[in-house]
């Protein structure tokens, strides 16, 4: 099973630039072309939040038009730049969003790996939170098939990355999530966005991975008093490859493949 993982496209209304500086729409269009050109094709495409920049109807409509070339099922969760009800209306036709409440979902119909999406957004704020209701929902969801390989998606990472100016807006109460996950060794990955950088670390007895943004990169500034900044680094996506007994391998895949193919050397 092959899963293409996009994150943080920050789609704007047609003709508008992200933060007035970056053509996030064009960059997301290029990312979609990269996904549709994959051989073999992915079985599933997932997106870990911040689908739009301002959560307007025009932005969601444009995001869906940019995603239209993808023929595989798409699963997505909201980020802090999304808005729950606008997101729900936009993705209602994709079959994974619940009709009311937080946008949690369980998707197990697309292959051997189950995908669980968590809506940890706090309306009106940029941080996320693992509250008691989310913990109870997740525990019940995993327990329906405790032995099935599982990916858990959430937007803000429930850990500190070391980049202080983004850690202030992380997902709080991550220890609650870690406690649940640690009881289920079949949770193969915790997948996040938000940081606009690729990062991997241990969490709850499994692997947590943050996907890069297709729009921009938050500066890797690890000094405690570092000034916030962003760069336009080469955008990328993650590709998660489940190979049965061999387990799950994750590949970092640049949107622009660069020069090649060249003779093997």
């Amino acid at each position: 099973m092959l899963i293409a993982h996009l994150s943080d496209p920050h789609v704007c209304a047609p003709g508008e630039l992200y933060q007035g500086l970056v053509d996030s729409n064009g960059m997301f269009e290029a990312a979609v072309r990269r996904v549709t050109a994959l051989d073999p094709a992915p079985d599933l495409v997932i997106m870990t939040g911040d689908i739009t920049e301002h959560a307007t109807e025009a932005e969601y409509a444009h995001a869906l038009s940019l995603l239209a070339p993808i023929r595989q099922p798409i699963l997505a969760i909201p980020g802090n730049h999304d808005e729950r009800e606008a997101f729900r209306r936009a993705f209602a036709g994709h079959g994974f969003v619940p009709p009311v409440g937080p946008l949690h979902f369980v998707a197990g119909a697309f292959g051997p790996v189950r995908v669980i999406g968590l809506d940890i957004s706090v309306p009106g704020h940029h941080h996320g939170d693992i509250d008691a209701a989310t913990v109870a929902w997740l525990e019940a969801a995993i327990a329906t098939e405790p032995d099935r390989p599982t990916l858990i998606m959430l937007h803000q990472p429930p850990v500190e990355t070391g980049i202080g100016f983004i850690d202030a807006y992380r997902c709080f109460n991550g220890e609650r999530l870690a406690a649940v996950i640690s009881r289920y060794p079949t949770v193969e990955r915790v997948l996040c966005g938000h940081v606009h950088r690729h990062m991997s670390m241990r969490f709850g007895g499994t692997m947590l991975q943050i996907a890069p943004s297709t729009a921009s990169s938050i500066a890797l500034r690890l000094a405690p008093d570092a000034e916030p900044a962003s760069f336009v680094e080469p955008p990328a996506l993650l590709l998660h490859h489940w190979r049965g007994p061999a387990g799950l391998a994750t590949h970092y895949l640049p949107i622009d493949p660069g020069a090649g193919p060249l003779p093997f050397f």
Side-chain angles (χ1 to χ4, degrees):
M1 183 178 183
L2 201 59
I3 301 171
H5 179 183
L6 300 166
S7 199
D8 296 84
H10 289 269
V11 171
C12 299
E16 292 186 6
L17 297 178
Y18 171 45
Q19 298 293 314
L21 297 170
V22 175
D23 183 11
S24 60
N25 294 350
M27 297 170 82
F28 190 48
E29 188 174 14
V32 169
R33 285 197 302 269
R34 185 74 157 118
V35 169
T36 58
L38 290 172
D39 184 16
D43 300 285
L44 183 65
V45 176
I46 63 175
M47 296 191 295
T48 44
D50 281 356
I51 310 304
T52 66
E53 173 64 358
H54 301 107
T56 66
E57 298 292 339
E59 288 179 343
Y60 281 113
H62 193 42
L64 291 175
S65 72
L66 292 174
L67 287 166
I70 294 176
R71 299 305 178 194
Q72 292 79 15
I74 296 172
L75 302 174
I77 53 169
N80 53 296
H81 281 262
D82 294 302
E83 192 278 322
R84 185 174 287 164
E85 297 310 318
F87 186 103
R88 194 191 313 273
R89 290 191 297 271
F91 286 98
H94 287 259
F96 64 88
V97 292
V100 295
L103 298 169
H104 307 322
F105 65 80
V106 180
F110 305 118
V113 177
R114 171 179 57 177
V115 179
I116 295 178
L118 291 182
D119 175 6
I120 58 165
S121 58
V122 180
H125 297 273
H126 284 290
H127 69 277
D129 186 46
I130 302 292
D131 60 19
T134 299
V135 168
W137 184 93
L138 178 61
E139 182 93 49
I142 298 177
T144 59
E145 294 183 272
D147 298 323
R148 185 168 184 181
T150 298
L151 308 180
I152 297 176
M153 300 165 54
L154 61 158
H155 181 62
Q156 297 95 335
V159 296
E160 293 187 3
T161 66
I163 306 172
F165 53 85
I166 195 68
D167 287 341
Y169 306 108
R170 68 187 182 276
C171 175
F172 291 96
N173 293 306
E175 68 280 358
R176 295 174 175 174
L177 179 61
V180 175
I181 291 170
S182 66
R183 294 194 286 273
Y184 296 95
T186 51
V187 175
E188 292 282 339
R189 295 286 191 278
V190 175
L191 302 175
C192 306
H194 187 60
V195 179
H196 290 216
R197 299 202 66 84
H198 180 231
M199 179 178 172
S200 300
M201 64 183 294
R202 296 285 295 173
F203 175 79
T206 189
M207 180 69 72
L208 179 146
Q209 291 186 306
I210 301 171
S213 167
T214 62
S216 67
S217 298
I218 287 175
L220 183 59
R221 294 182 172 179
L222 301 177
D225 58 349
E227 185 75 16
S230 295
F231 289 88
V232 182
E233 296 177 355
L237 59 91
L238 298 183
L239 199 60
H240 307 289
H241 188 194
W242 174 257
R243 297 175 296 151
L248 188 72
T250 296
H251 303 273
Y252 178 93
L253 192 65
I255 302 301
D256 181 352
L262 305 174
F264 180 75
F265 58 89

